[in-house]
């Protein structure tokens, strides 16, 4: 039976979690914790500081780089020493002393989940936690993948594979060394836009809390918590218990981190679970003042004082492996999909899809199934809510499969693309040698795979277009001698994101196709936006030269050398062209 929750009695309302075998629950209402309001004030102040940080950047044009742990990836891969990396180090060090205080009192995702949980409670919804043994390790695996894997691959695995003559990994660029990036002019460069931010908040907030329980994202997805959890084991600061404890389990009932506090303190004399975020609700709620935050021996190696209390898991052993595979496949399908889905949003989607897959399996078995107090199937008979849940589950899983197929075709295109060894100068040349047969075969194969990875209207399987795929389709069309298709793909790319470099490439394609007026029109648009754009003036000079308009080309080179006096190449071409124009007969 899947989460078929009994009607609450007075005892279960007061104490909804089991205590220990042979011990009756303690009746009586739960004391309301005062820590929730205090955490809300602290987390609110942190968000006010974030807004002030953003406004300061808007006002001054430069500011401290984002104080966000994910920025550590740029430090570890690109050597950009930023505020996020230093903050993450400080958070890890503080965790080694105080435990996971940062998660409970300083994390914006915890604030989001707490807000969503509070709103659901106001609406009469009290999500029960989903309990899986294997998925508890997902945050650790994700943390290692996010912060350890890139460096391990670059510094250890790739050199070993190269010495053995294996090509297991694509060669990463060498580590450039550390550079100071504490101050930035583009504060928002690594953050998603509003079109991604709103779904992110809904998925990593409401959906994860509703399906997985309070702080469900922290329990089954947060890569930062995956790093903090092992460090927490050596922290001397912990929730500890004294002799006043009578095992009433009020502490567990108010814990929003899904920690069985009453079982932990009875067994170890402290809370040992790395999921404890030191929010102190249990301390404030304890009716006998038996709990406190204090310093002492860490949980690592702590001896058990009593046999462990039995635990209930929602997933059986073999099913755990299947759910872990669903989680991994869904994460890799969504991460970076359409060049838009960020890491944490992919994690949230993976966690929710994994739960939905488990729920779908239960629904198809047609037992008694309920979800967060809502009966879906009763005695084998479908309720209306069950039909809605079934449709939603199938839709979400189908969406994940579709996205996974798009990513597989994208990866297949990238593999074939590696065999297209054509330089930019050759590709943009008006006259060039025929492609080698193997290069043409790779280019055609890559183009076909990328087409399938594109949106449905472009002959692909995707719900939307992927800018990087569109760019590669344009490049391969040019390589294969189809400048009109390359132009169409570049115009698609510019319509979505009018990057200056893409517009310049469009002009080069039109010039290679012999369409000088089209290239000039594109470049004149860049010059109208920025008259000091030396690259646009250079391309105009090259276009006029190709069209035989030497005087116009000379005029553009004069502009380039005036704007960039140190450009010796442009000065040399200007002087050569000036002599040529002076020697040409008058028309």
């Amino acid at each position: 039976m899947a989460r078929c929750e009994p009607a609450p009695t007075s005892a279960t309302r007061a104490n909804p979690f089991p205590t220990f075998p042979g011990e009756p629950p303690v009746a009586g209402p739960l004391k309301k914790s005062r820590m929730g309001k205090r955490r809300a004030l602290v987390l609110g102040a942190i968000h006010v500081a974030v807004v002030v940080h953003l406004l300061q950047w808007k006002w001054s044009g430069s500011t401290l780089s984002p104080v966000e742990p994910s920025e550590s990836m740029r430090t570890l891969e690109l050597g950009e020493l930023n505020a996020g990396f230093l903050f993450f180090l400080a958070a890890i060090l503080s965790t080694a002393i105080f435990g996971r205080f940062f998660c409970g009192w300083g994390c914006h995702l915890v604030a989001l989940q707490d807000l969503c949980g509070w709103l659901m409670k106001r609406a009469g919804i009290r999500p029960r936690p989903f309990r899986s043994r294997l998925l508890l390790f997902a945050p650790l695996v994700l943390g290692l993948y996010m912060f350890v894997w890139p460096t391990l691959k670059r510094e250890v695995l790739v050199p070993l594979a190269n010495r053995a003559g294996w090509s297991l990994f694509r060669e990463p660029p060498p580590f450039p060394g550390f550079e100071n990036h504490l101050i930035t002019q583009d504060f928002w460069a690594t953050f998603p836009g509003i079109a991604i931010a709103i779904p992110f908040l809904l998925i990593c907030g409401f959906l994860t809390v509703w399906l997985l329980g309070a702080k469900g994202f922290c329990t089954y997805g947060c890569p930062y918590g995956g790093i903090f959890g092992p460090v927490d084991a050596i922290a001397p600061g912990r929730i500890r218990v004294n002799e006043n404890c009578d095992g009433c389990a009020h502490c567990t009932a108010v814990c929003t981190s899904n920690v069985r506090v009453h079982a932990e303190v009875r067994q170890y004399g402290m809370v040992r679970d790395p999921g404890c975020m030191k929010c102190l609700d249990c301390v404030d709620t304890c009716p006998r003042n038996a709990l406190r935050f204090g310093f002492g021996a860490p949980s690592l190696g702590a001896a058990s004082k009593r046999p462990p209390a039995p635990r209930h898991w929602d997933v059986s052993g073999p099913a755990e492996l299947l759910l872990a595979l669903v989680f991994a496949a869904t994460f890799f399908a969504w991460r970076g999909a359409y060049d838009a889905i960020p890491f944490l949003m992919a994690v949230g989607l993976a966690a929710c899809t994994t739960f939905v897959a488990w729920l779908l399996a239960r629904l198809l078995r047609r037992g008694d199934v309920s979800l967060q107090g809502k009966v879906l199937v009763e005695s084998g008979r479908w309720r209306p809510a069950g039909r809605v849940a079934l449709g939603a589950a199938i839709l979400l899983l189908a969406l994940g499969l579709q996205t996974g197929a798009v990513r597989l075709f994208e990866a297949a295109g990238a593999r074939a693309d590696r065999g297209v060894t054509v330089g930019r100068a050759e590709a943009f040349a008006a006259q060039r040698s025929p492609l080698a047969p193997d290069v043409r075969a790779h280019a055609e194969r890559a183009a076909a795979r990328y087409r399938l990875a594109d949106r449905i209207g472009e002959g692909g399987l995707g719900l939307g277009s992927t800018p990087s795929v569109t760019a590669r389709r344009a490049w391969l069309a040019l390589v294969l001698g189809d400048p009109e298709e390359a132009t169409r793909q570049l115009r698609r790319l510019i319509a979505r994101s009018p990057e200056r470099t893409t517009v310049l490439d469009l002009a080069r394609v039109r010039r290679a196709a012999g369409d000088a007026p089209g290239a000039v029109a594109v470049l004149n648009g860049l010059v109208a936006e920025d008259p000091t754009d030396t690259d646009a003036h250079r391309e105009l000079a090259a276009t006029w030269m190709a069209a035989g308009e030497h005087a116009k080309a000379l005029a553009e080179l004069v502009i380039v050398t005036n704007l960039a006096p140190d450009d010796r190449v442009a000065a040399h071409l200007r002087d050569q062209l000036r002599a040529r124009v002076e020697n040409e007969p008058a028309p």
Side-chain angles (χ1 to χ4, degrees), residues 207-545:
L207 195 58
T208 55
V209 171
W210 185 56
L211 295 179
L212 305 173
K215 295 189 176 65
F217 183 86
C218 305
T219 304
Y220 294 120
C222 180
Y224 314 139
I227 301 298
F228 293 141
V231 177
D232 178 89
I234 65 172
R238 319 204 68 78
I239 304 298
R240 301 180 185 274
V241 69
N242 60 33
E243 64 279 359
N244 294 337
C245 178
D246 61 3
C248 69
H250 285 197
C251 49
T252 298
V254 299
C255 180
T256 58
S257 300
N258 304 323
V259 176
R260 300 175 77 241
V261 182
H262 69 288
E264 293 269 314
V265 297
R266 183 178 176 92
Q267 187 175 351
Y268 299 104
M270 66 178 82
V271 175
R272 192 168 179 262
D273 192 322
C276 175
M277 299 181 189
K278 315 300 184 289
C279 62
L280 303 182
D281 282 332
C282 58
V283 174
D284 194 57
T285 302
C286 180
R288 298 181 62 84
N289 296 320
L291 299 176
R292 64 181 176 89
F293 175 82
F295 293 90
S299 67
L300 184 66
S304 177
K305 297 181 178 181
R306 292 179 175 86
R311 297 196 65 173
H312 166 71
W313 302 100
D314 292 317
V315 187
S316 63
E320 292 272 15
L321 293 174
L322 292 176
L323 290 184
L325 290 175
V326 171
F327 185 99
T330 309
F331 167 72
F332 284 111
W334 280 109
R335 188 198 175 191
Y338 306 112
D339 289 347
I341 305 299
F343 190 102
L344 295 183
M345 185 172 174
V347 171
L349 283 164
C352 293
T353 303
T354 302
F355 174 85
V356 166
W358 172 80
L359 179 65
L360 179 61
R362 294 289 185 176
L363 286 170
L364 295 177
R365 290 172 63 178
R366 306 281 296 276
D368 291 321
V369 184
S370 62
L371 174 63
Q372 307 300 10
K374 194 74 173 179
V375 176
L376 305 181
V377 180
E378 186 176 24
S379 300
R381 299 182 62 183
W382 289 89
R383 294 286 189 89
R387 296 188 180 93
V388 172
L390 178 65
I394 293 174
L395 180 62
L396 181 61
L397 290 172
L399 189 60
L401 288 172
Q402 179 193 41
T403 306
V406 168
R407 300 308 304 279
L408 287 174
F409 282 121
E410 189 178 326
R415 283 195 299 272
D417 207 349
R418 293 171 198 159
V420 183
T421 55
V422 177
R424 285 179 62 84
E426 181 183 357
F428 285 109
Q431 302 291 330
R432 68 184 195 203
S433 304
L435 290 176
D438 60 330
V439 174
R440 174 169 288 277
H442 281 295
E444 290 174 345
R445 190 179 304 115
R449 301 298 184 271
Y450 282 135
R451 180 178 59 80
L452 290 170
D454 212 331
R455 64 184 177 88
I456 293 173
E458 287 286 327
L461 301 175
L463 295 177
S465 59
T466 303
S468 60
V469 169
T470 306
R472 296 312 298 173
R473 290 191 69 186
W475 167 256
L476 291 167
L478 182 63
V479 167
L480 291 168
D482 190 351
E484 298 308 318
E485 176 64 13
T487 297
R488 190 179 74 84
Q489 296 296 340
L490 286 173
R491 291 195 185 281
R492 284 182 61 207
L493 196 58
I494 291 169
R496 174 165 175 170
S497 179
E499 296 290 338
R500 172 176 160 276
T501 54
T502 308
V503 177
L504 287 170
D505 279 345
L506 175 60
R508 295 180 185 114
V509 169
R510 297 317 305 157
R511 183 172 71 238
D515 180 16
V520 169
V522 171
L523 294 168
N524 281 339
L526 287 178
V527 171
E529 293 179 4
D530 181 9
T532 64
D533 189 338
T534 55
D535 289 330
H537 286 293
R538 286 190 187 93
E539 292 300 329
L540 276 169
T543 302
W544 288 126
M545 279 290 293

Side-chain angles (χ1 to χ4, degrees), residues 544-562:
W544 288 126
M545 279 290 293
E549 297 282 354
H550 299 150
K552 292 180 179 180
L554 175 60
E556 295 298 331
L557 286 173
V558 169
I559 295 173
V560 172
T561 52
N562 288 338

Side-chain angles (χ1 to χ4, degrees), residues 36-52:
K37 291 183 178 179
R38 296 176 185 177
R39 285 199 313 279
L41 289 174
V42 173
L43 292 167
I46 290 172
H47 283 78
V48 169
V50 171
V51 173
V52 170

